[in-house]
Amino acid sequence: MLRRASACETSGVETHGGRRNQAERDAITVEIGYALFSALFAAAVLFGAVAGPALLFQLPHTVELLLLRVGLVLAPVLFLARVISVLMRFRQDGAQPSQPGRTNPDS
């Protein structure tokens, strides 16, 4: 019969290839939240800058459609690019050694 290991039994598992500790899980959660909210803000600002004039002023119909469609295309692209760049930067920062000039934290 299989049973789950308790927290005491898994405390010696290394984080490299093993389970993450609570601080690492919290850091990941915060970074994901930051990535999502900063990407949402950037996409909203971009959409407002591109499509805002079409929503605020009387422009020719084709110009209004063009600005709205360009805003609707660029905003999600910026959102995805921002989320990916923030999470990739976090991933790269986590892979660095804890002390400059050393290749292994235990060296």
Side-chain angles (χ1 to χ4, degrees), residues 62-99:
T62 55
V63 174
E64 284 184 2
L65 281 178
L66 178 68
L67 289 175
L68 286 172
R69 288 182 180 165
V70 168
L72 287 173
V73 168
L74 290 180
V77 170
L78 177 65
F79 180 87
L80 288 175
R82 177 68 181 163
V83 168
I84 290 169
S85 69
V86 168
L87 295 180
M88 292 300 290
R89 186 183 62 216
F90 176 73
R91 181 177 173 204
Q92 289 172 355
D93 288 345
Q96 297 296 321
S98 60
Q99 297 176 351

Side-chain angles (χ1 to χ4, degrees), residues 5 17 21 34 37 39 41 43-44 52 58 61 63 65 71-72 78 80 85 100-101 103:
N21 63 26
Y34 170 73
F37 284 113
F41 179 76
Q58 285 290 352
H61 183 69
V63 174
L65 281 178
L72 287 173
L78 177 65
L80 288 175
S85 69
T103 58

Side-chain angles (χ1 to χ4, degrees), residues 43-53:
V45 168
L46 176 81
F47 180 79
V50 172

Side-chain angles (χ1 to χ4, degrees), residues 1-7 9-10 19:
M1 177 181 205
L2 295 175
R3 67 177 182 85
R4 297 183 92 179
S6 67
E9 295 172 345
T10 60
R19 295 183 181 190

